[in-house]
Amino acid sequence: MLIVMGYKAKKSDVDAVVKVVQAMGLRAEPIPGGERTAIGVLGNTGYVDDSLIRDLPGVQEVIHVSKPYKLVSRAFHPQASVVTVGGVRIGEGERPVVTAGPCAVESEEQIIKTALAVKKAGANLLRGGAFKPRTGPHTFQGLREEGLLLLSQAGKEAGLPVVTEVMSPDTVGLVAEHADLLQVGARNMQNFDLLRELGRSGKPVLLKRGMSATIEEFLAAAEYILAEGNPNVILCERGIRTFETATRNTFDLSVIPLIKELSHLPIMADPSHATGKRSLVPPMSKAALVAGAHGILVEVHPEPEKALSDGPQSLTFEGFDRLMEELKPLYAYLGF
Amino acid sequence: MLIVMGYKAKKSDVDAVVKVVQAMGLRAEPIPGGERTAIGVLGNTGYVDDSLIRDLPGVQEVIHVSKPYKLVSRAFHPQASVVTVGGVRIGEGERPVVTAGPCAVESEEQIIKTALAVKKAGANLLRGGAFKPRTGPHTFQGLREEGLLLLSQAGKEAGLPVVTEVMSPDTVGLVAEHADLLQVGARNMQNFDLLRELGRSGKPVLLKRGMSATIEEFLAAAEYILAEGNPNVILCERGIRTFETATRNTFDLSVIPLIKELSHLPIMADPSHATGKRSLVPPMSKAALVAGAHGILVEVHPEPEKALSDGPQSLTFEGFDRLMEELKPLYAYLGF
Amino acid sequence: MLIVMGYKAKKSDVDAVVKVVQAMGLRAEPIPGGERTAIGVLGNTGYVDDSLIRDLPGVQEVIHVSKPYKLVSRAFHPQASVVTVGGVRIGEGERPVVTAGPCAVESEEQIIKTALAVKKAGANLLRGGAFKPRTGPHTFQGLREEGLLLLSQAGKEAGLPVVTEVMSPDTVGLVAEHADLLQVGARNMQNFDLLRELGRSGKPVLLKRGMSATIEEFLAAAEYILAEGNPNVILCERGIRTFETATRNTFDLSVIPLIKELSHLPIMADPSHATGKRSLVPPMSKAALVAGAHGILVEVHPEPEKALSDGPQSLTFEGFDRLMEELKPLYAYLGF
Amino acid sequence: MLIVMGYKAKKSDVDAVVKVVQAMGLRAEPIPGGERTAIGVLGNTGYVDDSLIRDLPGVQEVIHVSKPYKLVSRAFHPQASVVTVGGVRIGEGERPVVTAGPCAVESEEQIIKTALAVKKAGANLLRGGAFKPRTGPHTFQGLREEGLLLLSQAGKEAGLPVVTEVMSPDTVGLVAEHADLLQVGARNMQNFDLLRELGRSGKPVLLKRGMSATIEEFLAAAEYILAEGNPNVILCERGIRTFETATRNTFDLSVIPLIKELSHLPIMADPSHATGKRSLVPPMSKAALVAGAHGILVEVHPEPEKALSDGPQSLTFEGFDRLMEELKPLYAYLGF
């Protein structure tokens, strides 16, 4: 439930409303805006009787929210959010960022070489998987803690903040210690205990859309993180599962402008996982940025043909250099 | 089957191969290329024994094609095709075209007003439905022949070639008389008798992707038209049906660069039907062009709120003017 | 719009309502029921003002229908329909029928041998494709008219009514002459000109669900046939297209009881096309019948490994015999 | 990799092979069969060079497995598995079981009343959610530990083993203490840390198919549990996400016979979640059993209209009694 105060409402009016809400056993979170204050009501498990509230002084309107999210919504928070990751600002009005690196950290040499190469080409963040979710248990599952340390080291050597996936609540602390942006993979988008733990960590989170998640479910998953008090969430469209198998997933770019209407959170796009095909990464990177993405994730590997995972969708260093060159006039067109 | 001749092969070698193929009861279609000639073999219903062919003079290679298409493929026809519609050239290397107009022709005033408005704003073709495929029989089915004549008249007054849908083989002749580009709607992508009739008509065809058509089925549908001798086919991505209902369809933009790898045919995109939401049309129009589309289809209506169909996805005249203004710097970026 | 008359309404009351509706430029179709008469209003393209109607003598209720179908609905026609095909009754309360035969008619020997074999095993109808819709133009397209005559001959020799697909409006007459049940394939479910022509033919129609058709679209397609005056429509669930490729399609059996709630039309199921795998046909045939299907379509071929199409999903004669034996106790359980 | 020993191979031959495999840094797991022994090789992250193995005495064949699963496969374990839950045997050859109960445990009265009612009607297990995964954080999340204790108490009073969902690795111990069968929900099918923890627990696990999981991914998820040494896994088809919204999910019954070909694990079906509609539960329960399911899960609630979740798909006590009565002749038909 959202309580919208009139623009003439006084601070004492807001305080009075908060008290009534708390007396009902619910939480009240005032959101001061430029012109007027709104008060979010949290903690209810169903419809809330508003008869005690709607007639209080200063209350202009009580909006019963039927969506499973509220904190992430534009209605609740009209101003676009910018999330800062290791000093890099991501969101509306900021220069779109490029996150690059291998699918998985495989060795010290591989990740440091890649870090230096993508930094030189102009990347803003370094990505690399340490804990890898794999379909079956008998394949490479990542270097785990060792991979995390190598990634962190590589980021430092190259001067890039690092992004890596975290797969379970009990490793959030460890990953948060070494990474700047904690990624929730598509398979874990509705791993609610993980989301809650990330909410409590306060660290920036990159939340990938689930393979068959609707926009509503995607935003509701982000809501779990914000509801624990962590507003630093960046969404990421990475393709959905459909009948079409010519591409690895179906890159649902229309959700980028749509989510920017519905939510204040930044949104990035991952053309590597969405298409699964090296040759499609450059055109779809550009399309994503023109559709309004606040950044892209691109897989880069020194020798894609030898990669332990996702080789066919990884760019070589040369391919990544070329993409970054091609992005320059696009950034100029976009005004950055 | 595709017979690739060596680059030193003489015309008499090609003629000899053609004769052998014909003696096998099949059709042979020589495709002269810049460096060498290929000969397409058509009319077989399964695997063809190539023992009589592979040792003939000048034959370099015999490629057994497992795909259900051949004439539309890049392998068969490496050079990108440009299709000319009423004097407007559509395809690789040409300035991307904008096709604009209402979903349905509703009245003389409506279509002429729209034609003049979109022409003034810079559109290259006029679209408008006369024969309308509708889910149920009890809703407006289009003005049919009357609508076709009004569209044709509007196109002439505005100086724009016209595009309209044709729904059945027996109206191909009528529609071909009055329209410059004949559209096959998503529901009819595999209406094979219609495709064959359009193949025989020789007229430019705009083939929309079926709601649940794979890329292979899409190209195989185009193959039906080319197989009848009509090379003037333009493909059109208009969104596919998936679990996501926040947009009307899921705009599968990755297929644009993918199809350009697989086929020589031009491909356009329809952000209006793909998204179903007015506010998403401008960003997704730009994303489609950056992904490599050779043109876009945009629904424009004088009073969208009164439109007999597809109102929520139609731009107003003002909205279309704004979009065309915004496309100018994008065209500059794209080099046109 | 549906006008429900009170159970005491006189024939003159009904006539008066019909006149008023006609004066509004619409068609009125009285549907006499056991207890009361309803009057369907057709021909409107949007909402109809009912102020002239709701106060007429005998009118009990005016129902504004938002669904794109009406004639096929249970609300409009509460009694389940039974369709008779060559003397065989198909629908609620009747013994479920088994339609068997090859995907395509390939030769006189093949179809006659199959007809006799499936008749002997207990099949009720013979199926076989003469006009075949194929993804690409370069594969076997069916024996066409010759196949139709062979199928008809085989049906006569075996004493079985025959079912075959019709692909375009201009062959409806020809197919109707030789077949007892005219099948509309999944690809043509929204070929509206074909549906209208079949409506005018009056012949029994087997309408297959489109690959990505919703229930609403499926019923609305049937509505096109009924709206032309042909009530002899049998629906058929044959699997939908989803992300899962382990089966050819996803057999959506839940729609069988659901459609029986929404519509009075009989509904059959096609486990061969739905699963695409011989070993799954027997268990899914039984599951379909237990879910409430009024019949099944099963592909049977003398030598599946040599079939020109759909070999992997066809049963051998022995396999079909076994299935028919296994169906006996199931029919007993079902009370037939 | 799977090493198949000849039927004359001696125990010493098997031991020798195991030693060689271990010397390669891999695990070898001998699987004694009725006629011959196979040795599963685990721990490899890619292709294994078999040159040291294939010529050892007694080795008949070395099969390189490309599937992401092995322990769950029929090839590896030809005999169907039966899993025992609180004394109830579930699997091939056993009487199919009925698991019934509310979506969520809401109060002591609700769960005990339901337990006694479903026991009386003939249910074999009691289900009820204590930890509830919900799309958004602001709705009822289950009574958690309290709900678990109430469920356990109700099961004891009614004499029924209990099934409940476990959502995160750190609650596996707690849930395992009070429940007989631990359910992994669709959203967590690829929560690999949870699967591994369940593998270590040794407790029977009910693994629900993910909303957009292929059969291969489903079986590979089960493989995670078996790979940790827990063979007590029961699979459950509960509907997949497709474009069709007339039912809550699309009940993919064809996978039941298909999975029985591919895997030795028992498989159940959940018609309540699959259809989301009370009236469809009875027909689809029967269809699932006839398709070969080893059991069904049915939601039952004393007052569905007041249920805190999933009311529309829950049966009343009367509805459940009726279903159980109707299942009697079906069980007789199935030979139980």
Side-chain angles (χ1 to χ4, degrees):
Chain A
M1 197 167 71
L2 193 62
I3 303 165
V4 181
M5 305 299 289
Y7 77 101
K8 289 183 180 169
K10 287 171 279 181
K11 191 178 172 306
S12 59
D13 294 338
V14 171
D15 292 347
V17 170
V18 167
K19 265 193 194 149
V20 172
V21 170
Q22 288 169 341
M24 292 165 74
L26 304 170
R27 275 167 53 207
E29 186 166 334
I31 314 287
E35 300 229 318
R36 57 187 200 176
T37 293
I39 301 167
V41 177
L42 302 175
N44 53 308
T45 59
Y47 187 86
V48 176
D49 180 359
D50 64 7
S51 57
L52 295 172
I53 297 164
R54 64 186 172 219
D55 294 331
L56 291 177
V59 171
Q60 182 186 295
E61 199 183 353
V62 177
I63 301 172
H64 290 277
V65 183
S66 63
K67 298 281 177 198
Y69 55 82
K70 178 165 38 181
L71 302 173
V72 305
S73 74
R74 279 270 182 191
F76 187 69
H77 186 301
Q79 172 100 25
S81 292
V82 170
V83 174
T84 302
V85 177
V88 176
R89 291 172 58 85
I90 302 175
E92 202 63 19
E94 304 293 330
R95 194 174 195 274
V97 297
V98 177
T99 301
C103 178
V105 178
E106 294 166 11
S107 71
E108 182 173 350
E109 193 201 342
Q110 173 240 27
I111 189 65
I112 290 184
K113 220 168 135 183
T114 306
L116 296 172
V118 303
K119 168 72 179 183
K120 197 176 156 210
N124 309 99
L125 294 100
L126 175 67
R127 55 151 293 153
F131 297 89
K132 298 295 306 170
R134 300 302 299 273
T135 299
H138 309 312
T139 44
F140 178 61
Q141 310 271 318
L143 296 181
R144 307 180 66 86
E145 185 159 357
E146 183 196 344
L148 186 61
L149 297 174
L150 291 175
L151 177 70
S152 170
Q153 179 195 338
K156 278 180 196 127
E157 293 202 15
L160 291 173
V162 302
V163 191
T164 200
E165 179 160 353
V166 57
M167 283 174 64
S168 65
D170 61 338
T171 46
V172 165
L174 174 69
V175 178
E177 209 176 306
H178 299 287
D180 302 282
L181 179 58
L182 278 58
Q183 178 179 314
V184 178
R187 291 174 182 86
N188 274 320
M189 192 200 81
Q190 293 193 315
N191 182 336
F192 301 122
D193 285 298
L194 175 60
L195 299 177
R196 283 200 195 91
E197 187 61 32
L198 286 163
R200 286 186 288 264
S201 83
K203 270 274 190 174
V205 176
L206 183 71
L207 180 65
K208 289 198 150 189
R209 182 182 181 188
M211 242 178 280
S212 60
T214 62
I215 293 313
E216 187 165 303
E217 290 167 342
F218 190 16
L219 292 175
E223 183 85 1
Y224 270 91
I225 304 173
L226 273 77
E228 295 291 335
N230 182 356
N232 300 305
V233 175
I234 301 168
L235 303 168
C236 183
E237 159 63 26
R238 46 75 75 202
I240 55 173
R241 182 163 277 182
T242 71
F243 66 84
E244 177 60 79
T245 56
T247 45
R248 181 169 173 180
N249 291 288
T250 296
F251 205 10
D252 187 9
L253 282 184
S254 306
V255 309
I256 291 179
L258 181 57
I259 280 183
K260 288 166 78 170
E261 291 178 13
L262 298 173
S263 174
H264 56 91
L265 297 176
I267 179 159
M268 294 179 66
D270 180 342
S272 300
H273 280 87
T275 66
K277 204 161 179 281
R278 187 174 304 129
S279 65
L280 302 181
V281 172
M284 298 318 291
S285 293
K286 295 171 201 165
L289 292 169
V290 168
H294 299 117
I296 51 173
L297 275 83
V298 178
E299 288 196 358
V300 179
H301 194 282
E303 299 170 286
E305 68 287 351
K306 293 191 187 160
L308 293 183
S309 63
D310 289 350
Q313 72 196 33
S314 296
L315 297 186
T316 58
F317 290 172
E318 295 67 34
F320 184 67
D321 284 351
R322 214 160 32 238
L323 170 60
M324 293 304 284
E325 274 308 306
E326 290 171 21
L327 288 187
K328 283 178 189 169
L330 184 71
Y331 273 74
Y333 157 69
L334 292 169
F336 296 106
Chain B
M1 198 167 72
L2 193 63
I3 303 165
V4 181
M5 305 299 289
Y7 77 101
K8 288 181 178 170
K10 285 171 282 183
K11 192 178 172 305
S12 59
D13 295 338
V14 172
D15 292 346
V17 170
V18 167
K19 265 193 195 150
V20 172
V21 170
Q22 288 169 342
M24 293 164 73
L26 303 170
R27 274 167 54 206
E29 185 166 334
I31 312 287
E35 300 228 320
R36 57 187 200 177
T37 292
I39 300 167
V41 178
L42 302 175
N44 53 309
T45 59
Y47 187 85
V48 176
D49 180 0
D50 64 8
S51 57
L52 295 173
I53 297 164
R54 63 186 171 219
D55 295 330
L56 290 177
V59 170
Q60 181 187 296
E61 199 183 355
V62 177
I63 301 171
H64 291 276
V65 184
S66 63
K67 297 280 177 199
Y69 54 84
K70 179 164 37 180
L71 303 172
V72 306
S73 75
R74 279 271 182 191
F76 187 70
H77 187 300
Q79 172 98 29
S81 292
V82 170
V83 175
T84 303
V85 176
V88 176
R89 290 171 58 85
I90 302 174
E92 202 64 19
E94 305 293 331
R95 193 173 196 274
V97 297
V98 177
T99 300
C103 177
V105 178
E106 293 166 11
S107 70
E108 182 172 349
E109 193 201 341
Q110 172 241 27
I111 189 65
I112 290 184
K113 221 167 134 182
T114 306
L116 295 172
V118 302
K119 167 72 178 185
K120 198 176 155 208
N124 309 100
L125 294 99
L126 175 66
R127 55 151 293 156
F131 297 88
K132 299 294 305 170
R134 300 302 298 273
T135 299
H138 309 313
T139 44
F140 178 61
Q141 310 272 317
L143 295 181
R144 308 180 67 86
E145 185 160 357
E146 184 196 342
L148 185 62
L149 298 174
L150 290 175
L151 177 70
S152 169
Q153 179 196 338
K156 277 181 197 129
E157 292 202 15
L160 292 173
V162 300
V163 191
T164 201
E165 178 159 354
V166 57
M167 284 174 64
S168 66
D170 62 338
T171 46
V172 165
L174 174 69
V175 178
E177 209 176 305
H178 299 288
D180 301 282
L181 179 59
L182 278 57
Q183 177 180 316
V184 177
R187 291 175 183 85
N188 275 320
M189 192 201 82
Q190 293 193 315
N191 182 336
F192 300 122
D193 285 296
L194 175 61
L195 299 177
R196 283 199 195 92
E197 187 62 31
L198 286 163
R200 286 186 288 265
S201 83
K203 270 274 190 173
V205 175
L206 182 71
L207 180 65
K208 290 198 150 188
R209 182 181 183 189
M211 243 177 279
S212 60
T214 62
I215 293 311
E216 186 165 303
E217 290 168 341
F218 190 17
L219 293 175
E223 183 85 2
Y224 269 91
I225 304 173
L226 272 77
E228 296 290 336
N230 182 357
N232 300 305
V233 175
I234 301 167
L235 303 168
C236 182
E237 160 63 24
R238 46 74 76 201
I240 57 173
R241 182 165 276 184
T242 71
F243 67 83
E244 176 61 80
T245 56
T247 45
R248 182 168 173 180
N249 291 288
T250 296
F251 205 11
D252 188 9
L253 282 184
S254 305
V255 309
I256 291 179
L258 181 58
I259 280 184
K260 288 166 78 170
E261 291 178 12
L262 299 173
S263 174
H264 56 91
L265 297 177
I267 180 159
M268 294 178 68
D270 180 344
S272 300
H273 280 87
T275 66
K277 204 161 178 280
R278 188 175 304 131
S279 65
L280 303 180
V281 172
M284 297 318 291
S285 292
K286 295 172 201 165
L289 292 170
V290 168
H294 298 117
I296 51 173
L297 275 83
V298 178
E299 288 195 358
V300 179
H301 194 282
E303 298 170 287
E305 68 287 352
K306 292 192 188 160
L308 293 182
S309 63
D310 288 350
Q313 72 196 33
S314 296
L315 298 187
T316 58
F317 290 171
E318 294 68 35
F320 184 67
D321 284 351
R322 217 161 29 238
L323 169 61
M324 293 303 285
E325 274 308 306
E326 290 171 20
L327 288 186
K328 283 179 189 169
L330 183 71
Y331 273 75
Y333 157 69
L334 292 170
F336 295 106
Chain C
M1 198 167 72
L2 193 63
I3 303 165
V4 181
M5 304 299 288
Y7 76 101
K8 288 184 180 168
K10 286 171 281 183
K11 190 177 174 304
S12 60
D13 293 338
V14 172
D15 292 348
V17 170
V18 168
K19 264 193 197 150
V20 172
V21 170
Q22 289 170 342
M24 292 164 75
L26 303 170
R27 274 168 54 208
E29 185 167 334
I31 314 287
E35 301 230 316
R36 56 188 202 177
T37 293
I39 301 167
V41 177
L42 303 174
N44 54 307
T45 60
Y47 186 86
V48 177
D49 180 359
D50 64 7
S51 56
L52 295 172
I53 297 164
R54 63 188 171 218
D55 295 331
L56 290 178
V59 170
Q60 181 187 295
E61 199 184 354
V62 177
I63 301 172
H64 291 275
V65 184
S66 63
K67 298 280 176 198
Y69 54 83
K70 180 166 33 180
L71 302 173
V72 306
S73 74
R74 279 271 182 190
F76 187 69
H77 186 301
Q79 172 100 27
S81 292
V82 170
V83 175
T84 303
V85 176
V88 176
R89 291 171 58 85
I90 301 175
E92 203 63 20
E94 304 293 331
R95 193 174 195 274
V97 296
V98 176
T99 300
C103 178
V105 178
E106 294 167 11
S107 70
E108 182 173 349
E109 193 201 341
Q110 173 241 26
I111 189 66
I112 289 184
K113 221 167 133 183
T114 306
L116 295 172
V118 302
K119 168 70 180 183
K120 197 175 156 211
N124 309 99
L125 293 100
L126 175 67
R127 55 151 294 156
F131 297 88
K132 299 295 306 169
R134 300 302 298 272
T135 300
H138 308 313
T139 44
F140 178 60
Q141 310 272 316
L143 295 182
R144 306 179 68 86
E145 185 161 356
E146 185 196 343
L148 185 61
L149 296 174
L150 290 175
L151 176 70
S152 169
Q153 180 195 338
K156 278 181 195 126
E157 293 202 14
L160 292 173
V162 301
V163 191
T164 200
E165 179 160 353
V166 57
M167 283 174 64
S168 65
D170 61 338
T171 47
V172 166
L174 174 68
V175 178
E177 210 176 306
H178 299 287
D180 302 283
L181 178 60
L182 278 58
Q183 176 180 314
V184 178
R187 291 175 182 86
N188 274 320
M189 192 200 81
Q190 293 192 315
N191 182 336
F192 300 121
D193 285 297
L194 176 60
L195 299 177
R196 282 200 196 91
E197 187 62 31
L198 286 163
R200 286 186 287 265
S201 82
K203 271 272 189 174
V205 176
L206 182 72
L207 180 66
K208 290 198 149 188
R209 182 181 181 189
M211 241 177 280
S212 60
T214 61
I215 293 312
E216 185 165 305
E217 290 167 344
F218 190 16
L219 292 175
E223 183 86 1
Y224 269 91
I225 304 173
L226 272 77
E228 295 292 335
N230 183 357
N232 301 305
V233 175
I234 300 167
L235 303 169
C236 182
E237 160 61 26
R238 45 75 73 200
I240 56 173
R241 182 165 277 183
T242 71
F243 66 83
E244 177 59 79
T245 56
T247 45
R248 182 169 173 181
N249 290 288
T250 296
F251 205 11
D252 188 9
L253 282 185
S254 306
V255 308
I256 291 179
L258 181 57
I259 280 184
K260 288 166 79 171
E261 291 178 11
L262 298 173
S263 174
H264 56 91
L265 297 177
I267 179 158
M268 294 179 68
D270 180 342
S272 301
H273 281 87
T275 66
K277 205 162 178 280
R278 187 174 305 129
S279 65
L280 302 181
V281 172
M284 298 318 291
S285 292
K286 295 171 203 167
L289 291 170
V290 168
H294 299 117
I296 52 173
L297 276 82
V298 178
E299 288 196 359
V300 179
H301 194 283
E303 299 170 288
E305 68 287 352
K306 292 191 187 160
L308 293 182
S309 63
D310 287 351
Q313 71 196 33
S314 296
L315 297 186
T316 58
F317 290 171
E318 294 68 34
F320 184 66
D321 284 351
R322 216 161 30 237
L323 171 61
M324 292 304 284
E325 274 308 307
E326 290 171 19
L327 287 188
K328 282 179 190 169
L330 185 70
Y331 274 74
Y333 157 69
L334 292 169
F336 295 106
Chain D
M1 197 166 73
L2 194 62
I3 303 165
V4 181
M5 306 299 289
Y7 76 102
K8 289 183 180 169
K10 285 171 282 184
K11 191 180 173 305
S12 59
D13 294 339
V14 172
D15 291 348
V17 170
V18 167
K19 266 193 194 149
V20 172
V21 171
Q22 288 170 343
M24 293 164 74
L26 303 171
R27 274 167 54 206
E29 184 167 336
I31 312 285
E35 301 230 316
R36 56 187 201 178
T37 293
I39 301 168
V41 178
L42 303 175
N44 54 309
T45 59
Y47 187 86
V48 176
D49 181 359
D50 63 8
S51 56
L52 295 173
I53 296 165
R54 65 186 170 218
D55 295 331
L56 290 178
V59 170
Q60 182 187 294
E61 199 184 354
V62 178
I63 301 172
H64 291 276
V65 183
S66 63
K67 297 281 176 197
Y69 55 82
K70 180 166 35 182
L71 302 172
V72 305
S73 74
R74 280 270 183 191
F76 187 70
H77 187 301
Q79 172 98 27
S81 292
V82 169
V83 175
T84 302
V85 176
V88 176
R89 290 171 58 83
I90 302 174
E92 203 63 19
E94 305 292 332
R95 193 172 195 275
V97 297
V98 176
T99 300
C103 178
V105 177
E106 294 167 11
S107 70
E108 182 174 349
E109 193 201 340
Q110 173 241 26
I111 190 65
I112 289 184
K113 220 167 135 182
T114 306
L116 296 172
V118 301
K119 167 71 179 185
K120 197 176 156 210
N124 308 100
L125 294 99
L126 175 66
R127 55 151 294 155
F131 297 88
K132 299 294 306 169
R134 300 302 299 272
T135 300
H138 309 313
T139 44
F140 177 61
Q141 310 271 318
L143 295 181
R144 307 179 67 86
E145 185 160 355
E146 184 196 343
L148 185 61
L149 297 174
L150 291 175
L151 177 70
S152 169
Q153 180 195 337
K156 276 179 198 131
E157 293 202 14
L160 291 174
V162 301
V163 192
T164 200
E165 178 160 354
V166 57
M167 283 174 63
S168 66
D170 61 338
T171 46
V172 166
L174 174 69
V175 179
E177 209 177 305
H178 299 288
D180 301 282
L181 178 59
L182 278 57
Q183 176 180 315
V184 178
R187 291 175 182 86
N188 274 321
M189 192 200 81
Q190 293 193 314
N191 182 336
F192 301 122
D193 285 296
L194 175 60
L195 299 177
R196 283 199 196 91
E197 188 61 33
L198 287 164
R200 287 187 287 266
S201 83
K203 270 273 189 175
V205 176
L206 181 72
L207 180 65
K208 290 198 149 188
R209 182 181 183 188
M211 242 178 281
S212 61
T214 61
I215 293 311
E216 186 165 304
E217 290 167 343
F218 190 17
L219 292 175
E223 183 85 2
Y224 270 91
I225 303 172
L226 272 78
E228 296 290 336
N230 182 355
N232 300 306
V233 175
I234 300 167
L235 304 169
C236 182
E237 159 63 25
R238 45 75 74 202
I240 56 173
R241 182 164 277 182
T242 71
F243 67 84
E244 177 61 79
T245 55
T247 45
R248 182 169 172 180
N249 291 288
T250 296
F251 205 10
D252 188 8
L253 282 184
S254 306
V255 308
I256 290 179
L258 181 57
I259 280 183
K260 287 166 79 171
E261 291 178 13
L262 299 173
S263 174
H264 56 91
L265 297 176
I267 179 158
M268 294 178 68
D270 180 342
S272 300
H273 280 87
T275 66
K277 205 162 177 280
R278 188 174 304 131
S279 64
L280 302 181
V281 172
M284 298 319 292
S285 293
K286 295 172 203 168
L289 291 170
V290 168
H294 298 117
I296 51 173
L297 277 82
V298 178
E299 288 196 358
V300 178
H301 194 283
E303 299 170 287
E305 68 288 352
K306 292 192 188 160
L308 293 182
S309 62
D310 288 350
Q313 72 196 33
S314 296
L315 297 187
T316 57
F317 291 172
E318 294 68 36
F320 184 66
D321 284 349
R322 217 164 25 240
L323 170 60
M324 293 304 285
E325 274 308 306
E326 291 171 19
L327 287 187
K328 283 178 190 168
L330 185 71
Y331 274 75
Y333 157 69
L334 292 170
F336 295 106

